[in-house]
């Protein structure tokens, strides 16, 4: 799934607009590091330091004077007849937190101003300004300095200006100025402006006739720009994102609006040359008891993309309006009660395939609609919701549309006695509805809507000791339907009931022994386990399928009496599961180092209930028939082994000892390092039709035995360099499902992320013939102190490469 564009996100190269006035701004040459309070790191350098050193403000040379007074120090002083004072030789003046150091100062008789001759240095609360000459107010914070060079120590920000003036309100005004966050001697980038104002109190600056220079080459021009000088949020334009493909240009220009401390919004006009103007936006809010956001986008009359094939899926919505909307809200009503609201919708199932999302990683398979409130008590748990989904398949048949729950009411409770007895209560009432054309749905169970009441009380007793456990349990599943087939004439029963007892006994023993391996003490356990479950068959052939699917077999299914998820089917079962597990525990910490398990289920009767629900007819499909009539399950072997603190491996193998074939296998080897390295090696095998929950129209369904290799890594090649890569290979069809390679450079003043990706898009089907290859190049720049250029891809990479964590820019 993905946008079929080759993304090359760049800052707009507007060098042709830089001629004339904007180029006249010429700041003075920067000073050396020694004159800017810069100290290179020594032996105390932090492990995560990206800069070569830090700015350190030296101690004041004079103690603080009384408030409003001026303290001074000099080698000599002389006084003129008109009351003027002249100080010479290492002159130091201090007023409050401002300190001036200069060879000579002239103070007129009014004692309101002081004129300094350079070279001079002015210090004030983490600020250093050096210059050739300056004028300072002795009654306020105002000052002006010519040929200025300045440093904000805590922001790692330095710059130069023909003239720097500190205004009485605390702001700084600079003429023909530049600033950067790069270390002294490194001018990889700098922002140059004819008139720059820095406001440390609000945390932002503005510049007129501003240009961005990269290695002294102008690459971008703004007539006026507002930019942050700290980490606080500020209203203004964000960096644009530009995408190129063979025949199209994609340009997005976000604008951020910092409405209030608990409200903000981002507006993003986006021009796609072969589709039109897409208008996107996001609004977020945060209160003490609730938070939420609403986002969306709209494109009027899609031009259809750049494909030449009129049957291309990308051209399917040519001439139509394309849009999506996603609203989320969550809050608390009390310490035990919460609520959630969600509404998502898209114009069609291909929206995110064609356009992606500018604001978040969207679920491209469905969009949720939800209104929910719950209560979590010591005994009772209550949940009330109205819920539905828009399935994002294209095309989407009416019979494949999911049901809405309007409403769904649940109540659950648990009681436990000291004797080991316990009681449970679970109940749910749901009304199921979906928006379909009745004529498009066959007059079968899929045509029904209506209500379902499901009750599942349980009674059990558990003996739990250090040497083992025993737990007999009896559960009663009672279900009643009131169905509606609309205007159709049908002989089907609209009032259905079902009552099924579910009984099980679970027992296990724990044997332990002390073990010494490599000079370290361990406890090894041997834990045999047996589980018997009996569920009688009930005729469910007239029952609808609102929310149910058959579970694929696994280690967990060995110990569960429930063959189906949801409540529309209860699978018959007469089974004994036998297994054994051995664990290796560290004596000192109790941490588990190794867990190895082996188990198998023995069936005493055929399983007649499948999704058809008919107890008198076994499934006719070959794979389903074998699954229903086999007298034993596959052997299940699982391994979880923490080889060292950094290496871990896991293994699961399901082997059919009757047909002598593997049904499912998976092996993983993982490496995690405190330094940030991650390595993942994986292998997957799955027999065709192994997972009975998948329909042939599902994306994950495969018409072949699936054999895949998955190799991924994230490696810190140096203090500043991260490398990432992934290869997901379909060995059955001899093709790469995904290839990814990237590098991230994170320096003191900038960051670069460059990633190439090529992948197979399944086109919303499970058939190989419908697949096509997609590819992209992602490039992102971040200029520290200014922001980033390009689309962030970190969320996807963290999903694709387990253990990867992007270095913060």
């Amino acid at each position: 799934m993905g946008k079929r564009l080759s993304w090359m996100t760049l800052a707009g190269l507007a060098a042709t607009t830089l001629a004339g006035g904007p180029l006249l701004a010429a700041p003075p040459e920067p000073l050396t590091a020694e004159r800017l309070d810069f100290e290179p790191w020594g032996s105390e350098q932090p492990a995560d330091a990206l800069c070569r050193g830090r700015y350190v403000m030296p101690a004041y040379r004079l103690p603080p004077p009384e408030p409003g007074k001026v303290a001074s120090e000099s080698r000599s002083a002389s006084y003129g007849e008109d009351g003027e004072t002249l100080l010479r030789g290492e002159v130091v003046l201090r007023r409050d937190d401002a300190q001036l150091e200069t060879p000579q100062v002239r103070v007129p008789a009014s004692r309101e101003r002081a004129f300094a001759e350079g070279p001079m240095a002015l210090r004030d609360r983490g600020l250093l300004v050096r210059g050739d000459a300056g004028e300072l107010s002795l009654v306020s914070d105002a000052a002006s300095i010519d040929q200025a060079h300045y440093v904000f120590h805590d922001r790692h920000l330095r710059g130069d200006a023909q003239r720097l003036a500190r205004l009485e309100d605390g702001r700084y005004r600079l003429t023909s100025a530049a600033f950067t966050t790069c270390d002294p001697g490194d001018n990889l980038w700098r922002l140059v402006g004819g008139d720059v104002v820095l406001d440390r109190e609000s945390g932002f600056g503005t510049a007129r006739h501003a240009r961005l220079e990269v290695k002294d080459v102008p690459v971008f021009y703004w007539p006026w720009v507002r930019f942050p000088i700290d980490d606080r949020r500020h209203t203004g334009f964000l960096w644009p994102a530009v995408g190129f493909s063979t025949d199209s240009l994609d340009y997005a220009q976000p604008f951020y609006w910092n409405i209030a401390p608990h409200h903000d919004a981002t507006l993003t006009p986006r021009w796609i040359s072969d589709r039109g103007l897409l208008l996107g936006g996001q609004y977020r809010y945060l209160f003490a008891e609730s938070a939420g956001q609403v986002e969306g986008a709209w494109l009027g009359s899609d031009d259809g993309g750049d494909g030449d094939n009129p049957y291309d899926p990308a051209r399917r919505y040519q001439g139509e309006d394309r849009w999506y909307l996603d609203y989320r809200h969550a809050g608390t009503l009390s310490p035990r009660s919460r609520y959630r609201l969600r509404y998502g919708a898209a114009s069609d199932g291909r929206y995110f395939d064609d356009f992606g999302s500018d604001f978040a990683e969207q679920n491209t398979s469905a969009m949720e609609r939800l209104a929910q409130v719950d209560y979590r008590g010591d005994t009772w748990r209550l949940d009330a919701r109205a819920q539905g989904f828009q399935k994002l398949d294209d095309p989407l048949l009416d019979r494949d549309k999911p049901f809405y729950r309007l409403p769904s009411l649940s109540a659950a409770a648990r009681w436990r006695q000291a004797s080991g007895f316990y009681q449970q209560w679970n109940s749910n009432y749901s009304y199921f509805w979906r928006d379909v054309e009745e004529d498009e749905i066959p007059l079968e169970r899929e045509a029904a809507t209506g209500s379902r009441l499901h009750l599942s009380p349980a009674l059990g007793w558990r003996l739990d000791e250090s040497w083992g456990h025993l737990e007999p349990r009896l559960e009663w599943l009672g279900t009643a339907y009131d169905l509606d087939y609309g205007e159709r004439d049908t002989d089907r029963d609209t009032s259905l009931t079902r009552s099924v007892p579910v009984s099980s006994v679970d027992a296990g023993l724990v044997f332990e022994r002390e073990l010494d391996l490599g000079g370290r003490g361990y406890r090894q356990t041997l834990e045999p386990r047996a589980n018997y479950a009996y569920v009688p068959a009930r005729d469910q052939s007239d029952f609808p399928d609102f929310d149910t699917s058959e579970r694929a077999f696994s280690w967990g299914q060995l110990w569960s009496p429930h063959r189906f998820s949801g409540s529309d089917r209860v699978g018959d079962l007469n089974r004994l599961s036998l297994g054994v597990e051995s664990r290796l525990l560290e004596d000192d910490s109790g941490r588990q180092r190794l867990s190895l398990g082996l188990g198998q289920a023995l069936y005493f009767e055929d399983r007649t209930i499948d999704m058809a629900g008919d107890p008198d007819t076994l499934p006719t499909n070959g794979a389903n028939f074998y699954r229903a009539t086999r007298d034993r399950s596959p052997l299940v072997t699982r391994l979880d082994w923490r080889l060292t603190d950094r290496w871990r491996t896991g293994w699961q193998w399901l082997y059919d000892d009757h047909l002598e074939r593997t049904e499912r296998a998976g092996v993983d080897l993982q490496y995690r390092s405190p330094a940030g390295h991650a390595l993942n090696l994986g292998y997957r095998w799955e027999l065709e039709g192994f997972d009975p929950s998948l329909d042939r129209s599902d994306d994950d369904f495969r018409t072949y035995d699936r054999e895949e290799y998955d190799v991924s890594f994230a490696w810190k090649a140096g203090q500043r360099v991260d490398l990432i890569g992934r290869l997901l290979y379909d060995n059955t069809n001899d093709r790469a499902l995904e290839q990814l390679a990237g590098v991230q450079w994170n320096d003191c003043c900038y960051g670069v992320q460059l990633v190439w990706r090529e992948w197979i898009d399944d086109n919303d089907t499970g058939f190989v013939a419908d697949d096509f290859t997609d590819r992209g190049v992602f490039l992102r720049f971040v200029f520290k102190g200014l922001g980033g250029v390009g689309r962030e891809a970190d969320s996807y990479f963290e999903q694709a490469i387990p253990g990867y964590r992007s270095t913060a820019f």
Side-chain angles (χ1 to χ4, degrees), residues 7-24:
W7 283 106
M8 185 65 71
T9 48
L10 307 170
L13 300 181
T16 56
T17 68
L18 299 176
L23 284 178
L24 297 178

Side-chain angles (χ1 to χ4, degrees), residues 80 83 206 244 332 413 416 489 539-540 701 720:
T206 60
F244 297 98
T332 58
R416 180 183 293 275
D489 292 329
D539 187 354
Q540 301 163 63
F701 182 82
R720 295 176 172 84

Side-chain angles (χ1 to χ4, degrees), residues 509-520:
L509 296 173
V510 178
F511 301 97
E512 292 185 357
R513 68 167 180 169
E514 299 296 325
L515 191 64
D516 185 84
L517 294 174
R520 303 182 64 177

Side-chain angles (χ1 to χ4, degrees), residues 531-562:
N531 181 285
Y532 175 76
Y534 178 74
V535 183
R538 294 289 188 269
D539 187 354
Q540 301 163 63
S541 55
D542 286 335
F543 282 37
D545 174 16
F546 291 140
D547 63 356
T548 294
S549 62
E550 188 172 357
R551 302 177 192 268
F553 195 77
S554 65
W555 175 267
Q557 283 299 104
L558 277 173
W559 321 111
S560 171
H562 302 290

